[in-house]
Amino acid sequence: MDGVSGIGTHPRTSSDDIFQSSSHAWREAEARTAVRMLSNGRGQCVLSIPDLRCGGCVATIERALNARPDVASARVNLTLKQTVVTFADADTDPTSLISALTLLGYPAIPADQDQSHEDDTDTVGRGLLRAIAVAGFGAMNIMILSVAVWSGAAGETRDTFHLISALIAIPVVVYAGQPFFRSAFQALRVRRLNMDVPIAVAVVLALALSLVETMRGGEQAFFDAAVTLLFFLLSGRYLDHLMRERARSAVSGLARLSPRGAMLRQSDGTLIYVPLSAIAPGAIIAIGRDERVPVDVRIISGSTDLDRSLVTGEAMPVPAGFGDTLEAGTLNLTGPVEAEVLRSADESFLAQMMHMQSEAETGRGTYVRIADRAARLYAPVVHLLALATFIGWVLATGDWHTSAFVAISVLIITCPCALGLAVPVAHVVASGRLMRMGILMKDGSALERLADIDRVVFDKTGTLTMGTLAVGFGLDDPALRTAAKALALKSVHPAARAIALSIAELPCQLDDAIEVPGFGVAGCIGGRAVRLGRADWVADISVHAKGRASPVFAFADGPAMSFDLTEALRPGAVDAIKSFAAAGIPVAMLSGDIAARANSIANQLDIADVKSRKTPADKIAALNAMRNDGFRALMVGDGLNDAAALAAAHVSMAPSSASDAGRTAADFIFLRDGLDAVPAAWRMARDTARIVRQNFALAIAYNCIAIPLAMAGLVTPLIAAIAMSASSLLVIGNALRLNRAAKPGQTPVSRVGGSEVPA
């Protein structure tokens, strides 16, 4: 009995409470796994926020999160409905932040636990379609009854029709209005306003006024207006949802390219299927034909052909075999291979692409800040305008019924959506278009800065050139080529490697090979001494090597063959320089190489402004001098020594072959070898800036025309609903024009292996 009594006096030890406590602890532990450590020791977490609606929501969340001491920065992506939070400490528990967002009216969960886009079922879209169907059905039936009233029905007949209309309208509004009522209630519950509050107020007021008129036997009731208004508002929201999904497809399309798991080889040699989260670096996986590579790997067995269009933008198959590295997302075309895992799934090439793509909207450029500020002021300004309109009409006419409907029109027609969508939708569409061209963008503000450049600065080695040597032969003799290749294969010198790669023939038998540092490689072929290296050293065994440019190959007392070594230009370099020159944008070269080699490349590309032997500090100083002179420079570089200059420039780009530091510092990364990606990105940035300006003009013109008309009583609530939806769709449709057919130098799209990829 004492034991029972003891249990009864400690209710916290009940099984339900124990379960709830353990469940809470489990959720906390799960949330902590969503925080990943950054290289600077900070932590980062991506949260999914389904209830994001407009720019005002973005501003509210960012203001609240950035005010927290444990948050270093927070950026919200409206299109993806996510926020990227950087914590001051990698060990920060995100559960308190999630709780704070919930109290603010925005329930959030870690993005990797959000299953809303895991399949092809669009639950939000289907819910809106059901609401539209109910509203449309109700509107048609009420309209039939309204026609009878308009045709002259009076007295009890009119009152009966009004009562039937009310019985139809009330459940229709309650069900179909849920998307607006739910959002408005969540906002009001935490004492804030959003764009759905005026809409919900307008619909409820229209229904309430009609009910009052019906109960008092009035001649006019506007149930048809209330329900039809809801029908058009829902139609606009559904079309807006469809266009946002289309804009979001760039990121979701990348996610669909990633397999859910892979065949992992066990210690006993058997293969088992495991999820991506269970694949660690060093593991061995099997990749079959027509399968996408799940993580970054290195082939250890087998050979195949690859579709690397996702990585390089080139659709031609590429052969691959032992030792070759494959990026996640690459499509294996012809043969099964086994490969060693190099990086985990969340650090793979495809994961980096998705992360950069999702960040494309988080930049805060000038236009974005203007739109956010306008959206933040929207709700209070609209309510004040509606109240002023109501009071003014009551004072002028004394008819509170008409005054209320004019105020409802003002509530509905004043739309911040067009202004709030002007920038983010254009940036998301542009980033998706750039990705299909093989160019990754880190944030929208970089796109805005790229459109403003008036100078372009290139590094030389690895940027204007491929960082490899091109080889020309001084004598076309197959016997000499095979002998030279045999010697070149024995050296690790870059020149020797370039010579070996440039000779297609198989090497001949070589004996007693030895590399002499600073001079070259020597050996014996068929009993005769041979050398490859510096001309004066080779001349010791062959007079034919005297006076030649290095490197030279020669047999003892025999013929010699010289090699002309030049740096290979990056494909598209000539056309890229010409594109900027034709646009009147000066091009300069900042190189750490000696003057002779820098000038040689500059002459080939017709670059007049060349600065050689520049250290990283010199490059930063040159870019700062340009900024001080009022110029906005685009820096294109690839090396570790370019990282600081890339960060210092007004905007920057780097090839995917750049160093880790260079890729981190750059605002854009182009995945294909061709340098034509640089002017292509610049053209896209200019087109996007033009679209953004057009969107702002459309949004401002709409509000400047619509609000005075509504306040003057010239717009009914129904027309206001149509106009509000049309303004948002017009802005989104204008942004989608960025997806037009490829321009010269851009990349068309094809379908490979069932997926849309760059061609």
Side-chain angles (χ1 to χ4, degrees):
M1 293 295 294
D2 290 340
V4 174
S5 176
I7 293 176
T9 57
H10 296 84
R12 291 185 180 180
T13 60
S14 69
S15 60
D16 288 343
D17 288 334
I18 292 174
F19 173 78
Q20 292 174 4
S21 176
S22 62
S23 177
H24 179 70
W26 177 81
R27 286 196 299 270
E28 285 188 354
E30 189 178 32
R32 289 192 189 96
T33 63
V35 180
R36 64 186 185 94
M37 180 178 291
L38 303 178
S39 57
N40 57 7
R42 292 180 171 180
Q44 191 173 81
C45 181
V46 181
L47 300 176
S48 178
I49 307 178
D51 292 334
L52 275 176
R53 292 286 182 268
C54 62
C57 300
V58 171
T60 299
I61 293 173
E62 288 188 350
R63 189 165 58 249
L65 294 184
N66 286 316
R68 291 173 59 93
D70 56 343
V71 173
S73 67
R75 285 288 179 262
V76 177
N77 187 311
L78 179 60
T79 300
L80 295 180
K81 295 190 175 183
Q82 292 179 349
T83 180
V84 180
V85 182
T86 302
F87 295 107
D89 186 353
D91 294 329
T92 301
D93 182 0
T95 52
S96 62
L97 184 141
I98 293 174
S99 299
L101 285 173
T102 302
L103 291 175
L104 195 62
Y106 298 100
I109 58 173
D112 58 358
Q113 299 169 26
D114 183 7
Q115 304 298 318
S116 59
H117 297 290
E118 286 297 310
D119 52 36
D120 295 331
T121 303
D122 183 3
T123 54
V124 174
R126 292 179 64 179
L128 287 172
L129 278 178
R130 285 193 297 269
I132 291 172
V134 170
F137 175 80
M140 287 187 295
N141 284 277
I142 294 174
M143 194 67 69
I144 293 173
L145 298 171
S146 298
V147 169
V149 175
W150 298 339
S151 300
E156 292 183 358
T157 302
R158 181 196 63 214
D159 294 344
T160 301
F161 284 168
H162 282 172
L163 181 59
I164 296 173
S165 298
L167 294 176
I168 297 173
I170 292 173
V172 167
V173 169
V174 169
Y175 177 81
Q178 286 186 45
F180 305 104
F181 298 151
R182 192 163 46 240
S183 173
F185 174 74
Q186 290 175 350
L188 294 173
R189 186 167 55 86
V190 293
R191 299 180 181 178
R192 65 175 179 83
L193 299 173
N194 66 6
M195 60 174 288
D196 286 332
V197 172
I199 293 175
V201 170
V203 172
V204 170
L205 282 177
L207 181 64
L209 289 174
S210 298
L211 286 173
V212 170
E213 285 295 297
T214 299
M215 295 177 66
R216 61 190 290 267
E219 295 184 3
Q220 292 184 337
F222 298 93
F223 294 110
D224 54 344
V227 177
T228 309
L229 163 66
L230 199 56
F231 172 77
F232 279 105
L233 288 171
L234 287 166
S235 299
R237 176 151 295 187
Y238 178 69
L239 292 175
D240 176 272
H241 170 77
L242 286 183
M243 291 190 176
R244 284 179 181 271
E245 287 295 313
R246 182 175 175 182
R248 188 186 290 123
S249 63
V251 178
S252 59
L254 279 178
R256 286 193 293 270
L257 291 179
S258 177
R260 301 293 180 89
M263 299 301 294
L264 179 69
R265 183 166 294 283
Q266 301 289 90
S267 57
D268 59 0
T270 59
L271 292 172
I272 63 169
Y273 182 84
V274 297
L276 286 186
S277 58
I279 301 175
I284 305 300
I285 62 173
I287 306 169
R289 291 178 53 188
D290 294 324
E291 291 182 4
R292 291 213 175 256
V293 179
V295 292
D296 296 351
V297 298
R298 180 186 297 110
I299 296 177
I300 61 172
S301 175
S303 61
T304 186
D305 294 296
L306 305 172
D307 171 16
R308 298 185 71 240
S309 53
L310 179 68
V311 180
T312 65
E314 301 293 344
M316 291 299 294
V318 178
F322 178 81
D324 289 331
T325 299
L326 312 183
E327 299 88 350
T330 303
L331 181 63
N332 181 21
L333 294 176
T334 56
V337 297
E338 287 197 351
E340 178 187 1
V341 176
L342 300 178
R343 282 173 285 276
S344 60
D346 58 355
E347 296 177 346
S348 69
F349 170 80
L350 190 60
Q352 293 177 25
M353 286 184 65
M354 287 189 287
H355 178 68
M356 291 179 63
Q357 194 68 21
S358 66
E359 288 290 293
E361 193 189 331
T362 61
R364 287 297 178 263
T366 303
Y367 293 134
V368 180
R369 289 193 294 270
I370 293 173
D372 285 351
R373 192 175 299 116
R376 189 162 58 246
L377 295 173
Y378 159 72
V381 169
V382 169
H383 286 92
L384 289 174
L385 283 175
L387 179 61
T389 300
F390 176 77
I391 294 173
W393 273 79
V394 168
L395 293 176
T397 65
D399 185 351
W400 70 270
H401 189 276
T402 301
S403 301
F405 269 86
V406 173
I408 290 172
S409 298
V410 174
L411 283 173
I412 295 170
I413 205 168
T414 310
C415 178
C417 303
L419 198 60
L421 292 171
V423 185
V425 169
H427 282 178
V428 169
V429 174
S431 66
R433 186 78 183 103
L434 285 171
M435 187 196 68
R436 293 192 293 273
M437 293 160 54
I439 305 167
L440 295 181
M441 177 178 70
K442 287 188 177 179
D443 65 76
S445 65
L447 197 66
E448 185 179 315
R449 285 181 275 122
L450 181 59
D452 292 336
I453 64 167
D454 51 17
R455 288 286 188 278
V456 182
V457 180
F458 287 96
D459 173 49
K460 181 182 74 70
T461 306
T463 305
L464 291 171
T465 69
M466 292 296 293
T468 59
L469 296 173
V471 181
F473 302 104
L475 181 64
D476 189 15
D477 185 333
L480 293 181
R481 288 203 301 271
T482 58
K485 184 170 185 176
L487 279 175
L489 289 171
K490 298 297 182 180
S491 174
V492 296
H493 194 280
R497 290 182 175 180
I499 291 171
L501 289 172
S502 66
I503 299 174
E505 290 86 356
L506 294 174
C508 60
Q509 181 64 39
L510 177 67
D511 300 318
D512 302 327
I514 183 173
E515 183 170 15
V516 182
F519 293 93
V521 185
C524 289
I525 297 178
R528 297 178 63 185
V530 289
R531 288 185 180 181
L532 171 66
R534 283 174 45 177
D536 56 351
W537 180 65
V538 177
D540 291 343
I541 65 169
S542 173
V543 295
H544 298 288
K546 289 183 178 180
R548 295 189 181 227
S550 300
V552 176
F553 166 81
F555 279 95
D557 299 324
M561 179 172 65
S562 59
F563 297 90
D564 181 21
L565 299 180
T566 58
E567 288 186 88
L569 289 177
R570 184 176 286 274
V574 174
D575 292 337
I577 303 302
K578 287 181 178 178
S579 295
F580 286 116
I585 297 180
V587 176
M589 179 197 294
L590 287 178
S591 175
D593 207 347
I594 62 174
R597 286 196 285 262
N599 290 328
S600 174
I601 297 299
N603 291 335
Q604 295 180 56
L605 297 172
D606 198 20
I607 299 176
D609 186 0
V610 182
K611 295 180 177 62
S612 57
R613 291 189 177 277
K614 294 299 178 184
T615 65
D618 294 334
K619 293 182 179 182
I620 295 173
L623 290 166
N624 287 337
M626 292 182 189
R627 178 182 289 106
N628 293 337
D629 291 338
F631 297 117
R632 298 177 293 273
L634 162 65
M635 175 69 191
V636 187
D638 79 310
L640 181 64
N641 61 334
D642 295 320
L646 291 169
H650 182 69
V651 65
S652 56
M653 293 186 71
S656 59
S657 58
S659 65
D660 290 342
R663 291 196 303 271
T664 301
D667 297 304
F668 295 85
I669 296 174
F670 54 95
L671 304 177
R672 57 193 306 167
D673 289 337
L675 206 61
D676 57 341
V678 178
W682 170 66
R683 286 192 294 268
M684 178 57 70
R686 288 196 309 168
D687 291 344
T688 305
R690 185 176 67 253
I691 291 292
V692 167
R693 289 193 294 270
Q694 291 172 359
N695 283 352
F696 267 113
L698 289 170
I700 293 171
Y702 163 80
N703 283 287
C704 288
I705 295 172
I707 294 174
L709 289 176
M711 295 181 71
L714 301 176
V715 178
T716 66
L718 180 59
I719 298 301
I722 297 173
M724 187 198 75
S725 300
S727 67
S728 298
L729 298 178
L730 185 62
V731 165
I732 297 175
N734 190 45
L736 290 175
R737 292 196 301 123
L738 291 169
N739 274 327
R740 281 182 173 177
K743 299 178 181 180
Q746 295 180 346
T747 307
V749 174
S750 65
R751 299 190 70 85
V752 179
S755 300
E756 187 179 270
V757 295

PDB file of all heavy atoms in Angstrom, residues 10-24:
ATOM      1  N   HIS A  10       3.330  10.986  -6.612  1.00  0.00           N
ATOM      2  CA  HIS A  10       4.355  11.453  -7.558  1.00  0.00           C
ATOM      3  C   HIS A  10       3.873  11.183  -8.981  1.00  0.00           C
ATOM      4  O   HIS A  10       4.337  10.261  -9.653  1.00  0.00           O
ATOM      5  CB  HIS A  10       5.698  10.749  -7.314  1.00  0.00           C
ATOM      6  CG  HIS A  10       6.293  11.062  -5.994  1.00  0.00           C
ATOM      7  ND1 HIS A  10       5.936  10.401  -4.852  1.00  0.00           N
ATOM      8  CD2 HIS A  10       7.211  11.997  -5.625  1.00  0.00           C
ATOM      9  CE1 HIS A  10       6.620  10.888  -3.819  1.00  0.00           C
ATOM     10  NE2 HIS A  10       7.400  11.862  -4.272  1.00  0.00           N
ATOM     11  N   PRO A  11       2.907  11.976  -9.433  1.00  0.00           N
ATOM     12  CA  PRO A  11       2.321  11.714 -10.740  1.00  0.00           C
ATOM     13  C   PRO A  11       3.317  11.865 -11.887  1.00  0.00           C
ATOM     14  O   PRO A  11       3.095  11.337 -12.961  1.00  0.00           O
ATOM     15  CB  PRO A  11       1.211  12.775 -10.846  1.00  0.00           C
ATOM     16  CG  PRO A  11       1.625  13.861  -9.898  1.00  0.00           C
ATOM     17  CD  PRO A  11       2.318  13.164  -8.782  1.00  0.00           C
ATOM     18  N   ARG A  12       4.407  12.571 -11.704  1.00  0.00           N
ATOM     19  CA  ARG A  12       5.371  12.767 -12.783  1.00  0.00           C
ATOM     20  C   ARG A  12       6.045  11.468 -13.212  1.00  0.00           C
ATOM     21  O   ARG A  12       6.669  11.407 -14.259  1.00  0.00           O
ATOM     22  CB  ARG A  12       6.438  13.774 -12.366  1.00  0.00           C
ATOM     23  CG  ARG A  12       5.898  15.196 -12.230  1.00  0.00           C
ATOM     24  CD  ARG A  12       7.016  16.179 -11.941  1.00  0.00           C
ATOM     25  NE  ARG A  12       6.503  17.527 -11.811  1.00  0.00           N
ATOM     26  CZ  ARG A  12       7.265  18.586 -11.551  1.00  0.00           C
ATOM     27  NH1 ARG A  12       8.575  18.428 -11.397  1.00  0.00           N
ATOM     28  NH2 ARG A  12       6.730  19.782 -11.451  1.00  0.00           N
ATOM     29  N   THR A  13       5.927  10.450 -12.380  1.00  0.00           N
ATOM     30  CA  THR A  13       6.575   9.191 -12.728  1.00  0.00           C
ATOM     31  C   THR A  13       5.643   8.258 -13.479  1.00  0.00           C
ATOM     32  O   THR A  13       5.950   7.097 -13.675  1.00  0.00           O
ATOM     33  CB  THR A  13       7.071   8.475 -11.464  1.00  0.00           C
ATOM     34  OG1 THR A  13       5.947   8.219 -10.612  1.00  0.00           O
ATOM     35  CG2 THR A  13       8.079   9.322 -10.729  1.00  0.00           C
ATOM     36  N   SER A  14       4.458   8.744 -13.900  1.00  0.00           N
ATOM     37  CA  SER A  14       3.535   7.896 -14.653  1.00  0.00           C
ATOM     38  C   SER A  14       4.143   7.531 -15.989  1.00  0.00           C
ATOM     39  O   SER A  14       5.017   8.211 -16.509  1.00  0.00           O
ATOM     40  CB  SER A  14       2.211   8.640 -14.874  1.00  0.00           C
ATOM     41  OG  SER A  14       2.411   9.721 -15.769  1.00  0.00           O
ATOM     42  N   SER A  15       3.632   6.430 -16.571  1.00  0.00           N
ATOM     43  CA  SER A  15       4.188   5.957 -17.838  1.00  0.00           C
ATOM     44  C   SER A  15       3.988   6.972 -18.949  1.00  0.00           C
ATOM     45  O   SER A  15       4.850   7.137 -19.821  1.00  0.00           O
ATOM     46  CB  SER A  15       3.544   4.619 -18.216  1.00  0.00           C
ATOM     47  OG  SER A  15       2.131   4.773 -18.348  1.00  0.00           O
ATOM     48  N   ASP A  16       2.842   7.696 -18.967  1.00  0.00           N
ATOM     49  CA  ASP A  16       2.603   8.691 -20.004  1.00  0.00           C
ATOM     50  C   ASP A  16       3.623   9.816 -19.934  1.00  0.00           C
ATOM     51  O   ASP A  16       4.165  10.265 -20.948  1.00  0.00           O
ATOM     52  CB  ASP A  16       1.190   9.276 -19.871  1.00  0.00           C
ATOM     53  CG  ASP A  16       0.130   8.272 -20.288  1.00  0.00           C
ATOM     54  OD1 ASP A  16       0.499   7.283 -20.962  1.00  0.00           O
ATOM     55  OD2 ASP A  16      -1.049   8.481 -19.946  1.00  0.00           O
ATOM     56  N   ASP A  17       3.891  10.278 -18.673  1.00  0.00           N
ATOM     57  CA  ASP A  17       4.861  11.357 -18.526  1.00  0.00           C
ATOM     58  C   ASP A  17       6.254  10.900 -18.894  1.00  0.00           C
ATOM     59  O   ASP A  17       7.045  11.654 -19.462  1.00  0.00           O
ATOM     60  CB  ASP A  17       4.850  11.894 -17.087  1.00  0.00           C
ATOM     61  CG  ASP A  17       3.586  12.690 -16.798  1.00  0.00           C
ATOM     62  OD1 ASP A  17       3.012  13.222 -17.769  1.00  0.00           O
ATOM     63  OD2 ASP A  17       3.187  12.770 -15.625  1.00  0.00           O
ATOM     64  N   ILE A  18       6.577   9.653 -18.517  1.00  0.00           N
ATOM     65  CA  ILE A  18       7.899   9.138 -18.891  1.00  0.00           C
ATOM     66  C   ILE A  18       8.031   9.087 -20.404  1.00  0.00           C
ATOM     67  O   ILE A  18       9.055   9.469 -20.981  1.00  0.00           O
ATOM     68  CB  ILE A  18       8.123   7.737 -18.279  1.00  0.00           C
ATOM     69  CG1 ILE A  18       8.232   7.853 -16.756  1.00  0.00           C
ATOM     70  CG2 ILE A  18       9.359   7.076 -18.861  1.00  0.00           C
ATOM     71  CD1 ILE A  18       8.308   6.505 -16.062  1.00  0.00           C
ATOM     72  N   PHE A  19       6.945   8.649 -21.085  1.00  0.00           N
ATOM     73  CA  PHE A  19       6.977   8.584 -22.541  1.00  0.00           C
ATOM     74  C   PHE A  19       7.133   9.974 -23.145  1.00  0.00           C
ATOM     75  O   PHE A  19       7.928  10.197 -24.053  1.00  0.00           O
ATOM     76  CB  PHE A  19       5.696   7.927 -23.056  1.00  0.00           C
ATOM     77  CG  PHE A  19       5.579   7.970 -24.551  1.00  0.00           C
ATOM     78  CD1 PHE A  19       6.285   7.081 -25.349  1.00  0.00           C
ATOM     79  CD2 PHE A  19       4.773   8.919 -25.163  1.00  0.00           C
ATOM     80  CE1 PHE A  19       6.188   7.138 -26.723  1.00  0.00           C
ATOM     81  CE2 PHE A  19       4.670   8.981 -26.532  1.00  0.00           C
ATOM     82  CZ  PHE A  19       5.377   8.081 -27.323  1.00  0.00           C
ATOM     83  N   GLN A  20       6.360  10.956 -22.613  1.00  0.00           N
ATOM     84  CA  GLN A  20       6.450  12.309 -23.140  1.00  0.00           C
ATOM     85  C   GLN A  20       7.833  12.889 -22.922  1.00  0.00           C
ATOM     86  O   GLN A  20       8.387  13.571 -23.784  1.00  0.00           O
ATOM     87  CB  GLN A  20       5.387  13.197 -22.487  1.00  0.00           C
ATOM     88  CG  GLN A  20       3.964  12.824 -22.887  1.00  0.00           C
ATOM     89  CD  GLN A  20       2.936  13.611 -22.115  1.00  0.00           C
ATOM     90  OE1 GLN A  20       3.282  14.491 -21.319  1.00  0.00           O
ATOM     91  NE2 GLN A  20       1.667  13.314 -22.350  1.00  0.00           N
ATOM     92  N   SER A  21       8.411  12.610 -21.751  1.00  0.00           N
ATOM     93  CA  SER A  21       9.743  13.120 -21.457  1.00  0.00           C
ATOM     94  C   SER A  21      10.778  12.530 -22.411  1.00  0.00           C
ATOM     95  O   SER A  21      11.620  13.241 -22.952  1.00  0.00           O
ATOM     96  CB  SER A  21      10.118  12.809 -20.014  1.00  0.00           C
ATOM     97  OG  SER A  21      11.440  13.225 -19.743  1.00  0.00           O
ATOM     98  N   SER A  22      10.699  11.218 -22.620  1.00  0.00           N
ATOM     99  CA  SER A  22      11.663  10.590 -23.523  1.00  0.00           C
ATOM    100  C   SER A  22      11.443  11.048 -24.953  1.00  0.00           C
ATOM    101  O   SER A  22      12.393  11.220 -25.720  1.00  0.00           O
ATOM    102  CB  SER A  22      11.556   9.069 -23.437  1.00  0.00           C
ATOM    103  OG  SER A  22      10.263   8.642 -23.848  1.00  0.00           O
ATOM    104  N   SER A  23      10.143  11.263 -25.327  1.00  0.00           N
ATOM    105  CA  SER A  23       9.863  11.744 -26.680  1.00  0.00           C
ATOM    106  C   SER A  23      10.434  13.132 -26.884  1.00  0.00           C
ATOM    107  O   SER A  23      11.010  13.439 -27.937  1.00  0.00           O
ATOM    108  CB  SER A  23       8.347  11.756 -26.920  1.00  0.00           C
ATOM    109  OG  SER A  23       8.048  12.285 -28.191  1.00  0.00           O
ATOM    110  N   HIS A  24      10.283  13.990 -25.856  1.00  0.00           N
ATOM    111  CA  HIS A  24      10.839  15.342 -25.949  1.00  0.00           C
ATOM    112  C   HIS A  24      12.363  15.289 -26.076  1.00  0.00           C
ATOM    113  O   HIS A  24      12.960  16.011 -26.879  1.00  0.00           O
ATOM    114  CB  HIS A  24      10.429  16.146 -24.720  1.00  0.00           C
ATOM    115  CG  HIS A  24      10.967  17.546 -24.717  1.00  0.00           C
ATOM    116  ND1 HIS A  24      10.527  18.518 -25.582  1.00  0.00           N
ATOM    117  CD2 HIS A  24      11.950  18.118 -23.957  1.00  0.00           C
ATOM    118  CE1 HIS A  24      11.184  19.634 -25.348  1.00  0.00           C
ATOM    119  NE2 HIS A  24      12.045  19.427 -24.377  1.00  0.00           N
TER     120      HIS A  24
END
